[in-house]
Amino acid sequence: MCVSPAHGEAFETEVPVAIIGGGACGLTAALTLRDAGIAALILEQDAAPAGSTTLSSGFIPACNTRWQRARDVQDDVALMAGDIQAKAKQLADPAIVDLCCQMSGPTLEWLAERHAIPFVLVEGFLYTGQRRARMHAMPERTGAALMARLLAAAEAAEVDILCGAEVVELFADGDGRISGVGYTRPDGSAERVGCQALVLACNGFGGNAEMVRRHIPEISSADYFGHAGNRGHAIRWGEALGVEIRHLGAYQGHASVAVPHGILITWAVMREGGIQVNSEGERFADESRGYSEHAVDVLRQPGGEVWNIYDGRIHTLALDFEDYRQAEAAGAVKQAEREAALAVALGLPEAALSATLSEVRSTARDPFGRDFSGIPALAPPYYAVKVGAALFHTQGGLAIDTSARVLRQGGGRLPNLFAGGGAACGVSGPEVWGYSSGNGLLTAVMLGRVAGESAAALVS
Ligand SMILES: Cc1cc2nc3c(=O)[nH]c(=O)nc-3n(C[C@H](O)[C@H](O)[C@H](O)COP(=O)(O)OP(=O)(O)OC[C@H]3O[C@@H](n4cnc5c(N)ncnc54)[C@H](O)[C@@H]3O)c2cc1C
């Protein structure tokens, strides 16, 4: 893993634009370049591109879309940017937030119209801090379905993807101009390719335990649910190139992964009135804040495990989600007709659980500050899933400008290096509480689009 000096050496092969990583960011950048008539080569370390994109739910926030208009959802860039910044306590780069929001509608419509990606609007509930229904997903509501569609589009557009190519080396001159990359093949051989521009689409450092311990120790004891191959290459290259690196303490945690099944239980369960209790039958934080910051509170509970408790209405809503159906089929979802039976089924102290449920049902002020007004009170039969916390992906990374061009420490930008998705600094501010649902794929797809456009302009 290094940056080596470029001494004007010739590369065996040359491409106009090389892209490291074949997830949502890399594929969107490559499709953009192909539409501009420019050949791009994706270098992907795995035998088949998957990335965290495949593991995700595939929900992408976007405003001003035709899917929103069809459902009379009034949304715009100012509202969307305001929601993202409110969650990030105004600490995300406003220019990048605005850019992603402005790009969001046109980019999803371009993917649908030009590349046959069939988005639908996710309706029925709102994620924390989102004032409008703006999550767009595949009809299957899975990242695997999104990735399959992106790969099919890439194949139709004749994007070159070289799999089994782990990039380990960048070649750069003294000004930081990238002239090519070196990569290893599964048989251990080393190859190189020259490029006029390089896009870093190789995500963050969630798969690098040492970097997680160093930058985000508070979540280091949680399981990592993202792609294991995302080991912080972009950040380490950025450090070697003297790039400005921001917000390494930011990440997407999740407070609701079924134990021991490892299946995501949608946070819609909490948004609709569900609660979390620890092994003492007690709540411990305001579940309505967001699943990311709540993950840290879950980790602090005895054993790092808690119970999601909700009712039949919420169970029915959750059945819309493929993950939840899988969790139910795997036996993760418990059901009980009465509070006493629920306490027995979950192994919780009956008096404490009963007191917790009564408190939630009462109109008294919630000790954690959650507002239950406007949400139907939990009613039997009850449902429950044992869950733990997880790290999904990191949000800090290389600072970029509004053309996705990587910035130097102390000002200025590198001549031909671009970054997007988890490789770039995201729009979540410096810490876990700033993650707004969808910030991951928002920056992967929109910054992939911007990086593709900018790289195309540079090499044309
Ligand atoms: C369980 C889960 C659910 C999620 N749900 C959502 C959601 O619904 N909405 C949302 O917005 N976000 C979600 N996220 C976050 C989202 O998945 C990521 O933010 C997004 O996929 C990042 O896209 P990417 O293209 O940057 O990275 P990836 O999709 O991870 O792609 C990066 C690629 O780079 C490759 N790579 C890495 N290093 C190298 C190298 N040196 N050489 C060659 N290849 C390399 C990797 O193999 C990988 O294929 C979720 C994450 C998880 C884990």
Side-chain angles (χ1 to χ4, degrees):
M1 181 58 40
C2 61
V3 176
S4 301
H7 293 303
E9 63 268 83
F11 291 91
E12 302 93 62
T13 325
E14 300 256 357
V15 293
V17 182
I19 298 169
I20 306 177
C25 180
L27 290 168
T28 307
L31 288 170
T32 303
L33 283 151
R34 289 300 293 150
D35 281 9
I38 291 169
L41 173 66
I42 294 180
L43 297 149
E44 168 55 52
Q45 63 190 353
D46 290 346
S52 286
T53 303
T54 297
L55 302 169
S56 77
S57 306
F59 285 21
I60 310 175
C63 63
N64 270 334
T65 70
R66 63 173 159 91
W67 302 277
Q68 288 179 313
R69 284 190 292 278
R71 307 294 294 177
D72 280 334
V73 176
Q74 307 292 323
D75 198 8
D76 60 34
V77 170
L79 264 178
M80 181 174 171
D83 288 351
I84 289 172
Q85 283 288 31
K87 191 77 174 62
K89 302 186 184 174
Q90 314 299 327
L91 293 173
D93 182 337
I96 302 300
V97 173
D98 284 350
L99 174 72
C100 288
C101 298
Q102 277 158 12
M103 294 297 294
S104 63
T107 299
L108 293 200
E109 292 188 8
W110 160 73
L111 283 170
E113 280 146 31
R114 179 85 176 87
H115 295 290
I117 314 270
F119 289 104
V120 296
L121 185 66
V122 177
E123 294 178 280
F125 70 99
L126 295 175
Y127 277 105
T128 305
Q130 293 185 352
R131 287 173 286 177
R132 297 289 186 275
R134 64 170 71 102
M135 287 299 202
H136 297 72
M138 295 299 96
E140 301 86 345
R141 294 189 177 194
T142 65
L146 173 66
M147 192 65 185
R149 259 61 174 247
L150 284 170
L151 282 171
E155 191 178 347
E158 299 182 346
V159 169
D160 290 322
I161 305 179
L162 184 63
C163 291
E166 182 190 353
V167 179
V168 292
E169 186 172 18
L170 307 190
F171 294 94
D173 68 15
D175 192 35
R177 178 176 294 280
I178 308 295
S179 58
V181 304
Y183 53 93
T184 55
R185 306 290 283 153
D187 64 3
S189 61
E191 295 175 12
R192 304 187 313 177
V193 61
C195 60
Q196 296 165 40
L198 178 65
V199 178
L200 297 175
C202 45
N203 208 332
F205 59 92
N208 182 325
E210 186 279 319
M211 287 180 77
V212 169
R213 274 195 301 276
R214 182 153 34 110
H215 298 296
I216 40 177
E218 67 194 24
I219 199 75
S220 59
S221 62
D223 288 335
Y224 171 54
F225 269 64
H227 182 61
N230 294 330
R231 286 166 288 149
H233 292 79
I235 289 164
R236 290 190 278 160
W237 286 318
E239 285 167 349
L241 286 163
V243 163
E244 164 110 21
I245 294 169
R246 290 188 193 143
H247 293 172
L248 292 186
Y251 64 95
Q252 180 194 12
H254 209 293
S256 182
V257 176
V259 176
H261 315 80
I263 302 173
L264 172 66
I265 304 296
T266 172
W267 201 244
V269 164
M270 295 298 130
R271 297 287 303 157
E272 285 296 308
I275 57 169
Q276 287 194 326
V277 302
N278 60 20
S279 57
E280 277 141 31
E282 293 171 348
R283 285 175 63 227
F284 47 88
D286 171 5
E287 303 88 347
S288 69
R289 291 170 310 164
Y291 50 70
S292 191
E293 58 268 55
H294 210 74
V296 183
D297 292 304
V298 168
L299 268 187
R300 290 191 186 120
Q301 301 313 302
E305 294 173 357
V306 302
W307 288 94
N308 285 352
I309 296 182
Y310 47 101
D311 63 10
R313 177 184 66 83
I314 299 173
H315 169 73
T316 304
L317 182 144
L319 284 169
D320 273 352
F321 292 78
E322 169 67 22
D323 290 338
Y324 187 82
R325 293 195 294 273
Q326 282 175 16
E328 189 183 40
V333 180
K334 314 280 180 213
Q335 197 224 318
E337 293 301 322
R338 296 276 174 269
E339 286 175 19
L342 183 68
V344 171
L346 309 189
L348 299 178
E350 185 185 331
L353 180 62
S354 191
T356 297
L357 287 168
S358 305
E359 188 175 74
V360 167
R361 271 193 297 266
S362 79
T363 53
R365 185 174 160 68
D366 178 71
F368 302 102
R370 180 170 175 184
D371 182 2
F372 284 94
S373 61
I375 305 175
L378 294 180
Y382 296 107
Y383 288 77
V385 180
K386 188 191 263 190
V387 295
L391 167 63
F392 274 13
H393 74 284
T394 55
Q395 277 277 293
L398 278 51
I400 54 168
D401 67 8
T402 52
S403 60
R405 189 85 74 90
V406 171
L407 299 177
R408 297 180 199 277
Q409 276 168 25
R413 45 192 212 161
L414 271 76
N416 65 347
L417 184 63
F418 302 86
C425 178
V427 291
S428 303
E431 291 187 42
V432 63
W433 36 254
Y435 186 81
S436 196
S437 298
N439 278 0
L441 283 169
L442 176 73
T443 50
V445 174
M446 308 319 150
L447 297 179
R449 176 87 170 133
V450 174
E453 288 175 345
S454 304
L458 186 74
V459 304
S460 293

